Structure formats: structure tokens, C-alpha cells
Amino acid sequence: MTSIFPRFLPLAALGLLLAPAAAHAQQYQPTATGLRVSTDSLMVEVQFYSPEIVRVLKQPKNVEAAKKSLVVTQAPAPGKLKYSQKNGQVTISSPTTQVVVNEKTGQVSFRTAKGQPLLSEQTLGSRFTPKKDLGAATYRVRQVFQLAPGEAVYGLGQHQDGHLNYRGQKVLMKQKSLDIALPVLHSGKGYGVLWDNYSTTNFSDAAAGTVFDSEIGDCVDYYLLNGQGTADGVVARYRQLTGQAPMFPRWTLGFWQSKERYKSQDETVGVVEKYRALGVPLDGIVQDWQYWGEDNDLWNDMAFNNPKFPNPQAMVDRVHALHAHQMISVWPSFGKKSKPYQELASKDMLFDFITWPRTPHVKVYDAFDPAARDIYWKYLNQGIFKFGMDAWWMDATEPDQLQPFDTDDDNETALGSFRRVRNAYPLVATSGVYEHQRQATADKRVFILTRSAFAGQQRYGTMVWSSDVDSRWDVLAKQIPAALNLSLTGFPYWNSDIGGFFPSGQYPKGVKDPAFQELYTRWQQFAALTPMMRSHGEYTPREIYQFGERGTWAFDSQAKFIDLRYRLQPYLYSLMWQVTSRAGTPMRALAMDFANDPKVSDMGTEYMFGPAFLVRPVTEAQYVNRPDRNVPVPPDFSKTKGVEVYLPAGASWFDFWTGKRQPGGQTVQRETPIDVMPLYVRAGSVLPLGPHQQYTGEKADAPLEIRVYPGANGEFTLYEDENDNYNYEKGAFATIKMRWDDKARQLTFDNRTGNFPGMQAARTFRVVLADEQHGTGIGADDAPAKEVKYAGQKTTVKL
């Protein structure tokens, strides 16, 4: 098997700490992309990938350890560089970034173009500890940085520990259910670090320094991402380096219904039919496992062997006829009687460790091998995709290794030991499906839901979910910082199981328990303001009609927020375009937009959703007091409860539901009846809202409501295209910039830019000025509005 990590030359008597106690100054060597510095024991190379992206590569002297990155897609493009040398230090500068290398020790530090410190290694911060891996010589690698006092750091993937700021914390970065190891550190100072290593890594921050300590590595390899002082700049540099996120289909923004599991095709289709009969919007239905049969020896056979799914083509066709779309669960593991297992086993492409379901016959395939990825897609295409399946639920892409059996890392992959590359498994697993579907058709955009991710995976059409979380209020609260830190690593798309996956331990009466209904209702409100709104869980059904009838509190609250989701579609789809075209971030920690407000630097209870919405989910029970979990009690709505909401400084804020305007920089008490989650809109926002509809595209020609929140100048760019193909990559899309001049009290629709087949040449906008007198919310159809007929040319309306 060929490795991306070529073996290196052995060194005699190599010390653990490769930094000399004393050495004479060395001459640096300029290179086409930066420079090299050789100390007595280290070779240090600095490579500029852009003026703001700098790679640092360190390895023991006389070691050949060239590495091809699985993560980085950009080639070095240094631009114009300047060199200087003084007092044993060499400085190499781009127009925006300075890198200083100590010629004696190999220590590297980074500064802005004006010489302001960004990040520095510790003097003796690079350590290589010799070890063996599958009999070959390698190292445990460690790099120590020194952060500034009070500097906040975020990112590192998704870790459900409740932390937003990781100063003073330790994090085990090892892929597993619930935790996503994504080695990107995001500093509140406006820079980031991508640690390009794929083995289990310990991150820690303490007074002694900030450490990345990886189990396997032939070199220290990391990238400094100079965001030039902004969080969005850091994310942009990360995506520039590792790949941009493609567009999802527009219908993915609708409501998704799922459970563990629908046991027949009639049940699956019946759920969609029931939603249509009730008039509750729905766009996605999910078919979870065992459609292949209930025998684990056929696990993930990628075929409808189950007799309760006798005609999968008819199932998919019926879902499509109901104007919905279908996702199906697939796994990286196979039972011994499945056809993929037999072919992969014959070619030695299966790992030998215990995974779920716990049976010796289920084995995970080597997704690091491109030939194995070809085989995986062959069966996926022949057995499922051919029916017109719309989306993939790639479960357990960590892949799942059951404790205490998760230490067998000696399995050999196509790229070396599993120990060496384990954290990158979800990256290569999703890449195989994305790339093969792109080759198969350009008419259906790839949409992959998966529970694990790695650096660069955003380029493979991936949405992650936070795994099989418990149905508890404290778990709901921890979803918020978990999602925000994943966003700060540069991964834009996240969601969670509405209501939590495991309710049985806390709510044995399930959906009939008012306490679970309250938790589910609040979780669903939160989900409406995340990148994907998806109901899922085991033990108890989650369909809206299981909670009661229209007119009951749980049903009506859920219907209200599903309706809100659909009204927000023009806003959400335009945000998706910002992700693809400008490296945007939908779920935003408040520090991204209000860096000058110290109160938000470690606030994990609220977030911005796009440029307009401040979201404060309700994460505590308020109306059901249940002293005994086995005895359901009715809710008590006799007194309206509330929560505290901090309104960030630097803006004024409108209550979305009432239109009341309040200044920022203060904490307010907001009442939270069961059908209200605190939502505030930043003054100056221009918010496009779509019609009430049952599915995406039902009323494509309906007027759009353009809601203006006065108090500051603002703008928003409305994006439109064909909704579900890749023609946008060829320029088939249109944008309309809307600009609000607060002093002149006028909204300008600029000339439309671009076009696409089927575009509305003329359309109607209903422009509404938000205020407390008329209220806002999702149903302001009766609010005073000015109707604007727009035909693509610049149009201005006075309010």
C-alpha cells in the first residue's frame, strides 16, 4: 500500500527535544514560496500560500518527510515577498503578514503588516518523540504556542462540553460519536491555525502554553490564517485553503421528518401524505436503516431486500409526486452476506475492528483507498441512486468503534496505519460519494447528512448533525456552543435531532408526556433557526400529529415555527449563496459580529443567524414541573415565564414578534410563552420573506415581502437560481441588491445582475416598514405595505 507519508531517513541518537542549547547563526535559504532555515537539529520551512496564508513545516534535520495533504487544495501562491535579517532573526513579509524565524532555535512568530503580534511559538516549542508505527520509524509530534493574555480561542470542531472559549481547557481530538475533531483554532484576535495532522491529537491551553500534541507525525505541519482582524476573514482564508462549500438544493431548507425507523415503504409514504392532508409544510422524509432486511449479515447491503419495501421505485416516485424529497441512510460498514462486503473482502479492503451493530460479521471499509470508494459508489448507484434518491444520510462516518474496543489502530489503510489517519476518515468517506455523484449527474445537487467531519470536508456537500444526543435540557443548551465552534472552524452547515435522539431514559411515556412535548417544542424552535430543520429520534414518534391536533399547544407551536422556516426561505437561500460565493457563515457566535463588545466573547447562549437575526433559544423547562419522570403532569400556562436576553452593543434591536425597538448593550427580560422563542432583528436589516406554502417552490411566482428594520443603513442581496442543479457554477443565477438609506427613508432595488432559465422577468415586492404599532412576526400580511413592480431595473421606494 502506498502512503501519503513517505518513510524518512533514520537518525542516530536523536534527542526528544530538537532545539539546540547553543548554536551559531545559520544563513537562511530563500525559496520560490518562502524560505528554509536549518538549525543544528531542525529544518524549518516557511511557505506562503497567499499573502494571508502561511504554512510552517518542521522536521528533524536530515529527514525526508515530504507530505501530500488530504486537507489542503490550494497551491502555494506567495506573491511578492520581502526578506530581511537582523540579530539572528530572518523576517519574510507579504503585503499583509510578517513571519519571523529565529535562525538559532527555529522558533517562528507571526505579525501583521504593521508589526503587531499575532501568534508566536514558544522558543523550545517543537518536539519530536521517536516511536514505531506498524514497524516503521516515526514520531509523536508536539508544537507549543504562546497566546496573549485574555485572548479568546474557539473552534476545534464540535465538542459537547458546553464551552465556547477554549482558553484554559483540554480537548481530546479523536473522532467519535458526539465529538467532531476538526483541528482548526480560531482566535478572537482575527487569525486561525490549521493543524494538518490526522491522528489522535491532544489540545490543551494553560499558563505553560497552547499545545497541539499528535500521536503520529513525520513533521510539524500547520498553517497560519491571517484574517486581518476579522472572524469572517479567518473563515475565508480557511475555505480558500481547503475548498469552498457548494450549494445545496433549495428544498433542503424546508422541514424534514424522520424517526428511527419507518419499517415499510407504506409507512414512509404515509407520513408525507399525512402532512399534506394536514396542510403542514414538509420537504424531506428520511428512510433510516434495515430497508436492506433485518438480518445483520445483510447490514448495509445497499439494496431493498426487506419485503416491506417491495417496490422502492414506486415509493420514491410517490414521494416526488407529493412534492417532497427522500433521504436514505447508508453506512461505511457491511454485513458478511452483503454484496459489497464480499467484493471488498476479496480485495482486502475491510478493517478488522468491532463496530456497531456489535457482531463480528460487520466490518468497515477502507475509504482511504480510491478503488474501495469506487466499489462503494457502484453498489450505492446500482441499488439506491438509480431510483431517483435525493440525498444521503451517511451515518457513523467516524467510523464508530465500540468502547472498550476502540484501540485497535493497527489496521492498515491505503495510506498507512489507521492510527495515522483516523481523524480524516469522514473526509475521504464523504468525498467518494460526492465526487461520484457529481460525475454521474449535474442535474441533482449532492446533499450528504453525516455525523462526523474533518478539515476540508465542507467542499463535499456535507451537512453534519450532532449525533445521537440525549433528550435533556442541559444537552439542548450545549448544542449552541457546539454548533458555534464548528462554524468558527469554517464548517458552515450543522443541525441536531429535534427533541434529542434518546428520550426513553428521561421520558418513558415518550410523546404522550407533556414534559417531553415541552422539550421537543423548544428544541424545534431552535432548529428553525439553524441550517437544517430536522425531526428525528428513537423510541417515540416525532411527527407533528403525534403531539395532538390543531388547536393544541404543542401542535400549534410546532406548526408556527415550521411556517416561519418556510417564510424565511428567500433569506436562507441567499445566506447559502453567501456561504458558497463569499465563504459566509450562517450560525455566528456573537463575537464574530460584535468583537468590540467584551460581554459576548464567551457567550454560548445566543447567536446570530445570518446578518439579521439574534437568536436566544429557551433551554430550560418552564411550564411542566415533573417531580417524577414516570408520572406525566399537565402543563401550567397560568403564568407566562421569561428568559434574559443580552442585546449586543453597537446596534439597536427589534423584537421580531412585536416590532418593539430597544438599544443594544443591555440585558432585557423577554417573556416566553410556549409558542415564542426570543428573536431580535438588527436595525438596518432588509429581510426578504416568502409566502406561506406547503413545500418549496409551491408558490414560486408569489410576491415576496421585503421587511425593512429602520434605525441604520443596511443592505441585503437576494439570490435566485434554478434551485437544484449545478448550472449556477456556470453563471446561471441572478442577484438583486436591496439598499436601505435610513436618513432618506428609502429602499432601492438595484439593477438585477445575471439571469437563469425560468427566471421571473418581472415580479412584485411588498415592502413593509417594521414598527411596534403594526407588529411583525411571521404573519404581517395585513401590515401597511408599498407594492413595488420590479422588472430588473433600478427602482426606489420611499417609506
Side-chain angles (χ1 to χ4, degrees):
M1 295 186 179
T2 303
S3 174
I4 59 170
F5 303 93
R7 303 307 182 201
F8 50 79
L9 301 177
L11 294 180
L14 180 68
L16 295 187
L17 187 62
L18 293 178
H24 61 278
Q26 303 288 333
Q27 288 290 326
Y28 71 89
Q29 177 185 353
T31 67
T33 58
L35 59 79
R36 292 191 186 96
V37 171
S38 177
T39 73
D40 283 355
S41 54
L42 280 178
M43 178 63 72
V44 181
E45 185 164 2
V46 174
Q47 302 172 350
F48 276 78
Y49 277 60
S50 78
E52 294 80 34
I53 302 174
V54 185
R55 182 188 188 191
V56 174
L57 187 66
K58 291 187 174 186
Q59 50 198 306
K61 200 170 184 178
N62 300 322
V63 169
E64 296 178 1
K67 187 185 87 172
K68 181 180 179 181
S69 177
L70 293 172
V71 172
V72 173
T73 58
Q74 183 183 7
K80 186 177 182 180
L81 300 175
K82 295 181 179 180
Y83 299 80
S84 63
Q85 191 175 23
K86 184 178 181 181
N87 298 329
Q89 296 191 126
V90 57
T91 300
I92 179 172
S93 303
S94 74
T96 60
T97 311
Q98 297 179 4
V99 184
V100 181
V101 184
N102 187 300
E103 295 181 276
K104 178 190 289 188
T105 65
Q107 177 196 19
V108 180
S109 59
F110 304 89
R111 302 172 184 167
T112 68
K114 296 181 179 181
Q116 298 170 328
L118 287 174
L119 175 67
S120 179
E121 298 178 353
Q122 285 195 354
T123 302
L124 304 179
S126 305
R127 178 171 294 187
F128 297 78
T129 304
K131 63 185 299 184
K132 296 285 187 178
D133 182 43
L134 295 185
T138 185
Y139 299 102
R140 184 181 189 108
V141 295
R142 184 173 188 261
Q143 182 62 55
V144 186
F145 299 97
Q146 192 64 54
L147 303 182
E151 179 180 352
V153 290
Y154 313 100
L156 303 178
Q158 172 198 274
H159 304 282
Q160 302 190 41
D161 49 21
H163 295 297
L164 181 63
N165 181 359
Y166 276 105
R167 287 307 298 267
Q169 304 298 325
K170 295 180 179 180
V171 178
L172 175 64
M173 302 187 68
K174 181 179 183 179
Q175 305 289 23
K176 58 182 179 179
S177 179
L178 301 177
D179 286 325
I180 295 174
L182 210 163
V184 177
L185 191 69
H186 188 136
S187 169
K189 291 174 63 177
Y191 71 84
V193 174
L194 166 61
W195 178 252
D196 197 13
N197 186 287
Y198 318 132
S199 67
T200 298
T201 297
N202 287 286
F203 169 87
S204 63
D205 177 76
T210 304
V211 181
F212 284 93
D213 186 351
S214 294
E215 186 175 359
I216 295 289
D218 298 337
C219 53
V220 165
D221 190 359
Y222 70 88
Y223 295 78
L224 187 285
L225 312 172
N226 182 359
Q228 296 183 273
T230 71
D232 285 308
V234 175
V235 172
R237 298 292 79 76
Y238 162 79
R239 302 238 192 100
Q240 176 184 341
L241 183 66
T242 66
Q244 302 295 342
M247 292 281 287
F248 291 143
R250 187 182 182 113
W251 50 262
T252 63
L253 295 171
F255 179 64
W256 288 79
Q257 185 60 61
S258 177
K259 76 171 184 179
E260 188 285 310
R261 59 187 157 81
Y262 297 123
K263 296 183 179 181
S264 71
Q265 69 180 61
D266 289 341
E267 184 183 8
T268 302
V269 171
V271 172
V272 184
E273 292 174 335
K274 183 71 170 179
Y275 270 85
R276 292 288 177 258
L278 286 170
V280 176
L282 179 74
D283 260 285
I285 186 73
V286 181
Q287 180 58 56
D288 206 341
W289 57 304
Q290 289 196 347
Y291 57 88
W292 53 72
E294 297 184 6
D295 182 355
N296 281 342
D297 283 343
L298 284 172
W299 181 264
N300 196 37
D301 193 34
M302 295 182 173
F304 289 90
N305 306 316
N306 191 324
K308 295 180 181 179
F309 293 83
N311 191 340
Q313 186 67 68
M315 176 182 67
V316 176
D317 289 348
R318 177 58 178 158
V319 169
H320 288 169
L322 291 165
H323 303 284
H325 297 81
Q326 188 161 7
M327 171 183 282
I328 195 164
S329 170
V330 294
W331 295 64
S333 53
F334 299 93
K336 69 175 184 179
K337 292 182 181 178
S338 69
K339 293 182 179 64
Y341 180 105
Q342 294 168 14
E343 181 170 354
L344 291 163
S346 71
K347 298 178 180 179
D348 194 23
M349 293 176 175
L350 294 172
F351 298 141
D352 186 21
F353 54 67
I354 297 176
T355 186
W356 191 87
R358 187 177 294 189
T359 164
H361 306 309
V362 172
K363 293 186 178 181
V364 174
Y365 90 108
D366 182 6
F368 294 101
D369 189 333
R373 298 197 295 269
D374 291 343
I375 293 170
Y376 189 93
W377 173 256
K378 179 178 73 173
Y379 288 100
L380 198 61
N381 185 35
Q382 293 175 355
I384 299 176
F385 189 59
K386 69 177 182 180
F387 298 119
M389 196 63 63
D390 300 297
W392 309 110
W393 183 355
M394 297 184 67
D395 209 339
T397 51
E398 302 82 39
D400 190 15
Q401 289 179 278
L402 295 182
Q403 296 180 350
F405 308 105
D406 64 346
T407 58
D408 188 11
D409 287 347
D410 286 338
N411 278 270
E412 189 170 3
T413 78
L415 301 181
S417 73
F418 189 70
R419 178 184 300 105
R420 178 182 285 273
V421 293
R422 62 170 303 138
N423 281 345
Y425 189 91
L427 172 70
V428 294
T430 55
S431 76
V433 173
Y434 176 83
E435 291 173 345
H436 280 99
Q437 185 176 324
R438 287 297 308 261
Q439 293 169 5
T441 178
D443 295 331
K444 186 190 291 285
R445 294 179 193 167
V446 183
F447 184 62
I448 297 172
L449 176 67
T450 186
R451 78 179 185 193
S452 196
F454 195 65
Q457 193 170 322
Q458 74 283 344
R459 64 181 182 256
Y460 295 131
T462 304
M463 166 84 69
V464 301
W465 101 96
S466 61
S467 189
D468 303 340
V469 296
D470 287 339
S471 301
R472 301 201 316 262
W473 288 99
D474 64 311
V475 173
L476 170 57
K478 290 176 181 177
Q479 299 305 290
I480 303 169
L484 297 179
N485 272 312
L486 187 70
S487 292
L488 284 159
T489 63
F491 203 99
Y493 293 122
W494 176 98
N495 74 116
S496 63
D497 293 345
I498 297 175
F501 184 77
F502 292 116
S504 53
Q506 296 290 319
Y507 305 99
K509 303 296 182 180
V511 74
K512 303 306 179 184
D513 186 342
F516 177 72
Q517 292 180 3
E518 182 180 14
L519 173 68
Y520 182 93
T521 297
R522 293 304 194 188
W523 207 312
Q524 193 232 34
Q525 293 169 2
F526 164 55
L529 279 297
T530 66
M532 185 180 188
M533 188 182 188
R534 181 186 55 89
S535 172
H536 181 68
E538 61 94 58
Y539 174 69
T540 191
R542 310 297 177 93
E543 297 81 21
I544 190 171
Y545 46 85
Q546 306 287 352
F547 290 83
E549 299 177 346
R550 198 177 295 275
T552 58
W553 65 269
F555 186 107
D556 287 355
S557 174
Q558 292 175 38
K560 175 180 178 179
F561 275 82
I562 294 173
D563 190 33
L564 170 63
R565 179 73 176 191
Y566 280 80
R567 293 221 63 199
L568 288 175
Q569 270 211 3
Y571 176 76
L572 299 176
Y573 199 53
S574 298
L575 291 187
M576 193 186 292
W577 171 243
Q578 293 299 314
V579 170
T580 297
S581 63
R582 297 187 180 180
T585 300
M587 286 190 76
R588 307 173 62 80
L590 296 185
M592 294 188 74
D593 294 300
F594 305 98
N596 295 325
D597 187 343
K599 292 184 179 180
V600 306
S601 64
D602 196 15
M603 186 169 286
T605 56
E606 305 174 16
Y607 62 96
M608 293 294 295
F609 193 48
F613 282 102
L614 173 69
V615 185
R616 201 302 192 184
V618 178
T619 55
E620 293 181 353
Q622 295 180 318
Y623 295 104
V624 181
N625 179 20
R626 192 193 60 183
D628 185 341
R629 67 187 182 91
N630 292 302
V631 182
V633 297
D636 180 7
F637 295 117
S638 60
K639 183 179 180 180
T640 302
K641 303 297 180 67
V643 297
E644 289 188 343
V645 183
Y646 179 71
L647 305 178
S652 58
W653 299 92
F654 286 81
D655 187 312
F656 177 71
W657 305 108
T658 68
K660 181 180 179 180
R661 181 176 166 186
Q662 294 173 282
Q666 64 168 329
T667 298
V668 298
Q669 188 75 17
R670 177 59 167 95
E671 288 190 342
T672 50
I674 193 62
D675 66 340
V676 169
M677 176 178 69
L679 286 177
Y680 290 83
V681 183
R682 180 164 29 187
S685 295
V686 179
L687 180 64
L689 297 175
H692 302 273
Q693 55 186 341
Q694 299 304 298
Y695 55 87
T696 299
E698 181 191 20
K699 300 176 181 178
D701 297 335
L704 295 185
E705 178 182 322
I706 308 299
R707 194 175 295 173
V708 176
Y709 291 82
N713 293 335
E715 64 179 42
F716 189 82
T717 299
L718 181 69
Y719 172 84
E720 297 173 305
D721 64 12
E722 295 174 88
N723 300 323
D724 192 6
N725 59 41
Y726 286 101
N727 290 341
Y728 75 88
E729 295 181 343
K730 303 174 183 177
F733 63 88
T735 60
I736 304 170
K737 179 179 284 189
M738 299 173 284
R739 296 180 288 110
W740 169 248
D741 185 324
D742 197 59
K743 184 177 181 180
R745 306 287 282 187
Q746 67 181 26
L747 179 68
T748 299
F749 297 85
D750 284 345
N751 291 332
R752 179 191 286 124
T753 300
N755 60 80
F756 58 92
M759 183 184 74
Q760 287 180 253
R763 65 185 317 153
T764 300
F765 296 118
R766 294 182 66 254
V767 182
V768 175
L769 188 66
D771 59 38
E772 188 172 1
Q773 179 180 356
H774 300 100
T776 51
I778 60 174
D781 297 333
D782 58 346
K786 287 200 173 183
E787 196 169 272
V788 176
K789 300 295 184 181
Y790 179 79
Q793 287 76 46
K794 184 176 180 179
T795 305
T796 298
V797 59
K798 191 93 169 177
L799 300 178

